Amino acid sequence: MKKYISSPFIALLIGGLSFFACQQPAEKKAPAPTSAMEKSSFGTLPDGRSADLFTLRNAQGMAVKITNYGSTIVSCTAPDRAGKYADMVLGCDSLAGYLRGVPYFGAFIGRYGNRIAKGKFSLDGTIYSLATNNIGNALHGGIKGFDKVLWTAEPMQGDEPALKLTYLSKDGEEGYPGNLKVEVVYTLLKDNSLKLDYTATTDKKTVLNLTNHSYFNLANAGQGDILGHELVLNASTFLPVDSTLIPTGERRPVAGTVFDFTQPTAIGARVNDAKDQQIKFGGGYDHCWVLTDSSKTLKLAATVHEPTTGRVMEVLTTEPAVQFYCGNFLDGTVVGKGGVAYAYRTGLCLETQHYPDSPNHPAFPSTVLAPGTTYRSTTIYRFSVKN
Ligand code: GLA
């Protein structure tokens, strides 16, 4: 960061002092880190197209790597309370790892985050059938969702590094109606926040629920589970699900249940509560929490604190809900960065979004996007430390 001399008097004083110091060689200071963006190759797709990796760096030293394959966050570093940086997200070293198959590590999720029951919904009397990929339901956009397509990337001008990614999803893709133009801008802010700004437009009425599926482990991705992370969710209700993880339609108060994260609570404290049927259905936490503040403004949805490193992540969003998933399906079969096999519950996801299966629940906030209107959504992951 550049430092400016604030008054001419101080400038004169310093000038005079350096004169009397009899031409001592000027003290050489290490150059302050500046914000920047670099681009490198990430690998080649089976059809010959190449994917890139963009590194966004801020002046504090935080770095975020994003590939245009799946508009995916590949790595994200922040300091602990001793100033030591570590990578906090699960992912792979190169495109080949993602092509082998990963459970949405860092991925852009679309067109529809989470599940649509039986892959069916109707709009204005037309029934749409989606690609189903999860025990008869449509999950995270279908067989080839936005996590598995190559986006167009364009670094943006500005004093904070920002990357714009765009994708045109054709009418009928994975069964969804309308040509959908979707865009996300990732900006790494000076205060160690990663901001995601989504916009989309369509030429035919459709449904849309975009999110990011990063798996965080604030202690250091790949080293240990996330059960000691303390979580706060600013939500007084959650959505119970059936055995296939489709919301039943009920909004249940969290008070008195193992879903109450209104006070900081270790994720592992109640995640195995065998008496709770919802925990059984989810294999742990894999549910949608409805934010108490239902406004469309940016508000604090969740705070995660990792006590051994002091790292804190705050999640702010304009969305009405957050899907909290604690890595119940991770089982060590997927090998990621540095050859690490990601074991059970070694990452947690806080997917800011509308409610799952909204197109089949008229009482849920609408996820319909009509021509002539623009979908807008913002989420911020803000990193800091607590001593
Ligand atoms: C979401 C879902 C989970 C699971 C993961 C990916 O969070 O709710 O059930 O599908 O994504 O494995």
Side-chain angles (χ1 to χ4, degrees):
M1 260 207 297
K2 280 184 191 159
K3 286 199 177 130
Y4 295 99
I5 293 162
S6 54
S7 91
F9 171 75
I10 296 173
L12 276 174
L13 187 70
I14 292 172
L17 284 174
S18 46
F19 176 75
F20 284 106
C22 288
Q23 276 105 41
Q24 287 288 329
E27 192 194 328
K28 273 200 180 156
K29 279 194 187 148
T34 50
S35 66
M37 171 139 23
E38 293 148 32
K39 178 178 167 184
S40 59
S41 168
F42 199 50
T44 309
L45 287 159
D47 64 8
R49 289 178 302 161
S50 40
D52 296 314
L53 185 69
F54 297 84
T55 304
L56 284 63
R57 234 178 267 283
N58 72 5
Q60 293 203 47
M62 181 173 168
V64 176
K65 295 187 187 213
I66 296 161
T67 174
N68 57 335
Y69 178 73
S71 194
T72 298
I73 299 173
V74 172
S75 100
C76 178
T77 65
D80 65 8
R81 66 163 76 84
K84 198 169 152 231
Y85 282 76
D87 190 357
M88 304 173 294
V89 295
L90 275 51
C92 302
D93 289 317
S94 68
L95 179 64
Y98 293 91
L99 294 178
R100 273 195 293 272
V102 293
Y104 308 99
F105 290 159
F108 188 111
I109 301 294
R111 293 189 190 190
Y112 202 95
N114 215 277
R115 294 169 177 81
I116 295 183
K118 314 252 185 301
K120 292 222 185 311
F121 67 94
S122 71
L123 263 182
D124 296 339
T126 305
I127 295 173
Y128 292 97
S129 290
L130 306 173
T132 53
N133 57 338
N134 188 258
I135 45 170
N137 298 320
L139 174 68
H140 293 334
I143 295 162
K144 192 172 180 186
F146 292 175
D147 58 304
K148 295 182 189 69
V149 300
L150 194 64
W151 294 61
T152 303
E154 188 192 326
M156 294 178 75
Q157 299 298 322
D159 61 344
E160 289 174 316
L163 183 68
K164 175 157 103 181
L165 293 128
T166 50
Y167 177 65
L168 170 65
S169 171
K170 298 262 178 66
D171 186 14
E173 191 176 285
E174 299 296 300
Y176 289 94
N179 289 298
L180 183 84
K181 282 188 194 160
V182 51
E183 174 185 307
V184 62
V185 177
Y186 297 91
T187 310
L188 181 56
L189 305 178
K190 296 185 178 82
D191 70 348
N192 284 357
S193 294
L194 176 63
K195 181 154 76 89
L196 286 68
D197 288 303
Y198 305 84
T199 47
T201 53
T202 182
D203 61 2
K204 205 189 260 182
K205 221 182 223 189
T206 190
V207 295
L208 193 62
N209 192 24
L210 306 178
T211 191
N212 179 273
H213 207 299
S214 287
Y215 288 67
F216 294 96
N217 185 327
L218 302 187
N220 193 340
Q223 295 184 11
D225 62 46
I226 46 75
L227 299 177
H229 286 49
E230 292 160 6
L231 176 66
V232 176
L233 292 171
N234 294 325
S236 48
T237 54
F238 78 105
L239 304 181
V241 289
D242 67 15
S243 61
T244 71
L245 301 186
I246 297 292
T248 58
E250 179 193 349
R251 286 177 230 211
R252 187 178 294 173
V254 295
T257 77
V258 301
F259 290 81
D260 188 349
F261 282 96
T262 52
Q263 299 300 318
T265 309
I267 291 167
R270 304 166 302 182
V271 68
N272 292 322
D273 187 332
K275 292 190 296 299
D276 192 295
Q277 193 194 36
Q278 285 300 313
I279 287 283
K280 276 194 222 149
F281 283 163
Y285 296 114
D286 190 355
H287 294 78
C288 182
W289 271 255
V290 176
L291 299 177
T292 307
D293 179 349
S294 60
S295 70
K296 290 186 177 139
T297 56
L298 202 60
K299 68 258 174 202
L300 185 64
T303 306
V304 190
H305 170 230
E306 200 291 302
T308 65
T309 58
R311 285 197 188 90
V312 172
M313 177 174 77
E314 291 166 298
V315 183
L316 297 96
T317 189
T318 56
E319 288 297 306
V322 60
Q323 178 83 10
F324 165 47
Y325 166 63
C326 65
N328 308 311
F329 296 125
L330 295 174
D331 59 6
T333 53
V334 178
V335 176
K337 286 178 271 191
V340 172
Y342 293 128
Y344 190 46
R345 295 180 175 161
T346 51
L348 69 95
C349 305
L350 289 162
E351 303 154 63
T352 51
Q353 57 187 238
H354 274 58
Y355 310 176
D357 200 29
S358 298
N360 293 308
H361 292 270
F364 287 178
S366 173
T367 50
V368 173
L369 180 70
T373 58
T374 302
Y375 169 97
R376 285 182 208 284
S377 175
T378 295
T379 289
I380 292 180
Y381 302 109
R382 187 160 69 199
F383 300 94
S384 59
V385 285
K386 190 164 133 184
N387 288 311

